Amino acid sequence: ELKVEQNPLFLSMQEGKNYTIYCNYSTTSDRLYWYRQDPGKSLESLFVLLSNGAVKQEGRLMASLDTKARLSTLHITAAVHDLSATYFCAVEGDDKIIFGKGTRLHILP
Amino acid sequence: GAGVSQSPSNKVTEKGKDVELRCDPISGHTALYWYRQSLGQGLEFLIYFQGNSAPDKSGLPSDRFSAERTGGSVSTLTIQRTQQEDSAVYLCASTFRIMTAAYQETQYFGPGTRLLVL
């Protein structure tokens, strides 16, 4: 059974600092997704990762995938307040997509 | 606009009634996904369509839930005999997906339908 564990669940950090969100999953998967959700809003797709060693970057966010370790990371560089949101990872396998519980990120000015 | 649209945006219904939720994907998108988000269960995948076909329906929470997609476009999610635990935000997303290729497609989400079952 595919399970996804995301941590931390809550993260409060200062502007300008770096931090990493981790996403572990239990079985082989076809795709790994990262999403952002602002309060009261729908989901926004950030990254789709397919292959081992894949790395994608968009602005201050960088996602990577290690399929051997069954681990993806979302790294935040020099955080700014606008990045405050909830971030979800999700793993696709066997025609299903399983989500992590989300990381609520609060960036303090 | 050319984004994913969902209707209704909000729906309040009485327990036991049937509801139908609609998703209009981005034109040309081959794959369509249904999810729901609730306080108790977080984000759940319900079903996805490639074209008009759904490879796996086991993500639907119960046999009261059904979904269909016609003409490779609009999809409807129907909940029969609604229960209070069906209250959630139902999200739809679409993407252009080529099954035979390792294609890094992006999902585009609709604004959601907020369902409240009284």
Side-chain angles (χ1 to χ4, degrees), chain A residues 13-19 60-61 76-84 105-109:
Chain A
M13 55 193 290
Q14 295 281 342
E15 276 194 329
K17 299 289 188 182
N18 303 333
Y19 210 82
R60 299 174 187 274
L61 300 178
I76 302 150
T77 302
V80 293
H81 181 68
D82 285 352
L83 291 179
S84 296
L105 178 62
H106 181 51
I107 299 171
L108 304 169

Side-chain angles (χ1 to χ4, degrees), chain B residues 15-98:
Chain B
K15 178 181 171 181
K17 301 276 189 182
D18 297 352
V19 295
E20 191 171 278
L21 312 180
R22 177 185 168 110
C23 174
D24 280 274
I26 291 172
S27 178
H29 277 189
T30 57
L32 184 147
Y33 305 76
W34 282 101
Y35 306 93
R36 75 174 177 181
Q37 187 172 28
S38 60
L39 284 175
Q41 299 297 322
L43 268 166
E44 296 176 85
F45 165 79
L46 299 180
I47 193 168
Y48 102 92
F49 291 89
Q50 180 65 25
N52 292 335
S53 300
D56 189 333
K57 299 183 179 180
S58 63
L60 295 173
S62 76
D63 58 9
R64 296 183 294 104
F65 287 71
S66 62
E68 65 174 14
R69 189 180 186 200
T70 55
S73 182
V74 171
S75 177
T76 55
L77 178 68
T78 302
I79 310 173
Q80 295 179 308
R81 305 181 303 282
T82 52
Q83 302 294 312
Q84 288 179 329
E85 62 260 28
D86 300 333
S87 297
V89 176
Y90 289 81
L91 297 169
C92 173
S94 72
T95 189
F96 180 72
R97 184 162 179 165
I98 304 171

Side-chain angles (χ1 to χ4, degrees), chain A residues 30-31 33 35 37 40-46 48-51 54 56 88 92 94-100, chain B residues 33 35 37 43-45 48 55-56 58-59 91 97-99 101-107 109-112 114:
Chain A
D30 299 323
R31 288 172 177 81
Y33 302 89
Y35 302 99
Q37 187 174 40
K41 303 290 187 181
S42 187
L43 287 172
E44 175 188 353
S45 184
L46 294 175
V48 182
L49 302 170
L50 292 178
S51 56
K56 287 196 166 181
F88 293 92
E92 181 172 345
D94 294 331
D95 295 318
K96 294 183 181 60
I97 298 175
I98 307 297
F99 286 84
Chain B
Y33 305 76
Y35 306 93
Q37 187 172 28
L43 268 166
E44 296 176 85
F45 165 79
Y48 102 92
D56 189 333
S58 63
L91 297 169
R97 184 162 179 165
I98 304 171
M99 297 304 290
Y103 189 72
Q104 298 171 359
E105 67 276 359
T106 296
Q107 293 183 2
F109 283 81
R114 284 167 175 72

